[in-house]
Amino acid sequence: MRVALFITCFNDTLFPRTGQAVVRLLERLGRSFDFTVEFPLGQTCCGQMHFNTGYRRECLPLVRRFAEVFEPYDAVVAPSASCVGMVRDFHGEVSGALRERASGVADRTYELTEFLVDVLGVTDVGAYFPHRVTYHPTCHSLRVLRLGDRPLRLLRAVRGLELVDLPGAEECCGFGGTFALKNAEVSVAMAGDKVANVHRTGAEVLCAADNSCLAHIGGVLSRLNSGVRTVHLAEILASTEEEPA
């Protein structure tokens, strides 16, 4: 099986460590499950920003590019519930004549925890992360992809990790892409509520399946000098005693 990493432009630009962690994790698992991991250099944006702001015609070349680049692979994996949600739910809608081709690739595109739990059938990925951790289910992971307890099942199997429930976990953090730009005061207030709940857990680390939300919440945590760090779920799952996150 050939597995392609779809890094997403947000991760590629601001959080390359997350993509590197996905490769380490998948290469480790690939030795047991007999698959290879590749990084197609021709990949670009999924088009979510265009689509969400009403530029659907301008989104079409990006949908076409995504289908062309990832069509040869058996599975496409991304460390982003947000971008996978765009591919799975909306590429077919905006693609017109490309609908069938785009839908075929979208059906093989998985958020990381979906690929691990649903495709590989694994929850213990051999990770080691000796910290007190709480998990924020981002809106796209919760309400679009409906990841459910997949991330929690993976986290519970990590050696040394103490998982604590996040009060108000299902409440939005206030990021929402352009929502944070257009409604800054409301967005920051919502992040403040999320941070207050994170502090109630006593966690050292806040993790999620989307770096976009972690960046937003992390900004408030940083300004408060809270000492809580944000880490993408993929980096925890890739962490080992020999190569800690």
Side-chain angles (χ1 to χ4, degrees), residues 158-230:
V158 176
R159 287 187 301 114
L161 188 149
E162 180 186 1
L163 182 63
V164 289
D165 292 336
L166 177 64
E170 296 188 359
E171 296 173 7
C172 176
C173 70
F175 178 62
T178 54
F179 176 84
L181 301 176
K182 296 176 179 176
N183 305 276
E185 291 185 0
V186 176
S187 173
V188 171
M190 294 171 72
D193 290 344
K194 182 64 67 176
V195 163
N197 285 331
V198 171
H199 284 156
R200 290 189 184 98
T201 67
E204 306 164 59
V205 173
L206 170 69
C207 79
D210 282 288
N211 271 324
S212 50
C213 299
L214 288 177
H216 182 57
I217 303 168
V220 176
L221 287 168
S222 177
R223 283 194 290 275
L224 295 174
N225 295 315
S226 71
V228 180
R229 61 183 174 126
T230 56

Side-chain angles (χ1 to χ4, degrees), residues 37-69:
V37 186
E38 300 178 37
F39 181 75
L41 293 176
Q43 62 182 282
T44 59
C45 175
C46 67
Q48 183 180 177
M49 187 68 76
H50 304 70
F51 185 85
N52 288 351
T53 49
Y55 293 93
R56 298 194 173 191
R57 187 174 60 185
E58 287 78 4
C59 183
L60 187 58
L62 296 171
V63 175
R64 181 180 296 108
R65 170 61 72 91
F66 189 92
E68 290 172 351
V69 168

Side-chain angles (χ1 to χ4, degrees), residues 13-136:
T13 305
L14 299 175
F15 298 95
R17 284 172 55 91
T18 297
Q20 293 164 356
V22 174
V23 172
R24 286 201 309 277
L25 172 62
L26 293 183
E27 286 185 340
R28 190 168 80 213
L29 294 172
R31 290 191 285 272
S32 300
F33 291 90
D34 193 25
F35 66 84
T36 58
V37 186
E38 300 178 37
F39 181 75
L41 293 176
Q43 62 182 282
T44 59
C45 175
C46 67
Q48 183 180 177
M49 187 68 76
H50 304 70
F51 185 85
N52 288 351
T53 49
Y55 293 93
R56 298 194 173 191
R57 187 174 60 185
E58 287 78 4
C59 183
L60 187 58
L62 296 171
V63 175
R64 181 180 296 108
R65 170 61 72 91
F66 189 92
E68 290 172 351
V69 168
F70 290 108
E71 203 164 35
Y73 296 93
D74 300 301
V76 183
V77 178
S80 169
S82 179
C83 296
V84 171
M86 170 66 192
V87 171
R88 283 239 292 270
D89 282 12
F90 301 117
H91 269 200
E93 182 176 333
V94 299
S95 62
L98 278 172
R99 184 184 302 275
E100 184 175 350
R101 190 177 183 188
S103 296
V105 179
D107 289 344
R108 303 194 300 275
T109 301
Y110 303 92
E111 183 275 336
L112 176 63
T113 66
E114 290 180 316
F115 181 73
L116 297 175
V117 175
D118 298 350
V119 179
L120 299 185
V122 63
T123 51
D124 186 346
V125 296
Y128 174 72
F129 192 75
H131 299 283
R132 186 178 173 92
V133 176
T134 194
Y135 170 72
H136 166 59

